[in-house]
Amino acid sequence: MEDRNNVTEFILLGLSTDKKVRSLCFLFFLFCYLAIWLGNLIIVVSISWSQLITQPMYFFLNCLALSDLFYTSTVTPKLMTDLLLEKKVISYKNCMTQLFTTHFFGGIEVFILTGMAYDRYVAICKPLHYAIIMNRQRRHSIFTASGARGLLHSLGLFFLAIVLPFCGPNEIDHYFCDIYPLLKLACTDTHRIGLFVIANSGLMGLVIFVVLMASYILILYNVRTYSAESRHKALSTCSSHITVVILFFIPVIFVYIRPATTLPEDKVFTLFYTIIVPMLNPLIYTLRNMEMKNSIRRVWCNKRFWEGRLMI
């Protein structure tokens, strides 16, 4: 127990040691973080204050926007703060907390994307049964299951991390506490633990990605018999989902599918699914979606909405 307590804090090496580069990165990530909050809050308010919230697709989009806000907030504020500091320190307890929360909200995001794919599959391949299958109870069950699966995923990694002995060195070659950099610092053989991480993160991500892509291929196969207008609407919706799935899952698979090793490229790939994708999601889901655009106009240009906010 004493050996394990030799390390009470970790030093994050971050993205760069060059001060000018760090200053530019700070400005860039500040812009990204503000864009994430602005874009996702617009989606949450526009859906919650309109009739779109009763539609399964927009219910899940609303959940995705909320999870994006929590997910990126587990990493980005600390990253921006560290970019302004010479020495980037995080305590052992905060490191374990960050590991848990990052994978918890990341896991929720993965399963919400799975729920969205299921919703689109039912809507396009079983349109006559859509209202019965995707009823309110089913939607809430899928969201609750996403939270439960995200919790199980993060708890697995968290319990693995807290039993690891750390006796020095304490420098993490990353910008946040993740499982692979921690395994690299552990004073014990982590081969078996690394295999569990592959199964819990990399393999899980790969299987879900393959299932999602297969479902979208099946959807594309079914829409070939639709009218031109219906086919265009279905393809427009699915193309948004496919874009987000690829942008999110490919970096996740790259980072977690291999044995417990860290590469310099990991930081760049991790930035994609922790910051870039949450920033792009509002654009991807609204640019080609007329219902979403109309809802944004109705809510944000509604005098009653602003009068209600001012009264509060």
Side-chain angles (χ1 to χ4, degrees), residues 87-104:
K87 190 176 182 181
K88 310 159 187 64
V89 178
I90 185 169
S91 68
Y92 176 85
K93 289 183 179 180
N94 288 342
C95 182
M96 295 300 115
T97 301
Q98 188 179 56
L99 172 69
F100 172 79
T101 54
T102 302
H103 282 274
F104 174 56

Side-chain angles (χ1 to χ4, degrees), residues 186-254:
C187 306
T188 186
D189 181 16
T190 59
H191 176 70
R192 291 183 179 179
I193 297 176
L195 293 178
F196 177 83
V197 174
I198 292 174
N200 188 41
S201 299
L203 192 59
M204 181 188 75
L206 179 61
V207 170
I208 292 175
F209 176 72
V210 171
V211 170
L212 292 182
M213 295 309 295
S215 70
Y216 286 122
I217 290 172
L218 191 59
I219 288 171
L220 295 175
Y221 177 79
N222 277 272
V223 299
R224 76 191 193 286
T225 58
Y226 285 23
S227 64
E229 184 180 351
S230 298
R231 187 165 59 246
H232 178 267
K233 185 178 180 180
L235 292 175
S236 178
T237 303
C238 287
S239 64
S240 300
H241 292 299
I242 292 171
T243 302
V244 171
V245 166
I246 291 174
L247 287 176
F248 185 86
F249 277 92
I250 294 300
V252 169
I253 293 168
F254 175 84

Side-chain angles (χ1 to χ4, degrees), residues 249-294:
F249 277 92
I250 294 300
V252 169
I253 293 168
F254 175 84
V255 172
Y256 294 108
I257 197 64
R258 61 179 188 271
T261 55
T262 57
L263 300 174
E265 294 84 2
D266 286 352
K267 297 178 186 180
V268 177
F269 279 94
T270 306
L271 285 172
F272 260 90
Y273 59 81
T274 57
I275 299 176
I276 304 301
V277 171
M279 181 181 67
L280 294 178
N281 277 350
L283 292 175
I284 293 171
Y285 283 114
T286 57
L287 283 178
R288 300 177 64 184
N289 189 321
M290 286 306 299
E291 280 187 306
M292 196 66 226
K293 288 180 182 178
N294 292 334

Side-chain angles (χ1 to χ4, degrees), residues 59-60 63 104 108 111-112 137-151:
F59 170 80
F60 289 121
C63 294
F104 174 56
I108 289 176
F111 292 112
I112 287 176
Q137 184 179 357
R138 178 65 59 84
R139 297 197 300 268
H140 285 88
S141 296
I142 292 173
F143 176 68
T144 303
S146 298
R149 290 166 184 166
L151 181 63

Side-chain angles (χ1 to χ4, degrees), residues 29-45:
F29 291 122
L30 176 61
F31 167 78
C32 290
Y33 194 52
L34 292 174
I36 289 168
W37 272 91
L38 178 63
N40 285 288
L41 277 179
I42 288 175
I43 284 182
V44 169
V45 173

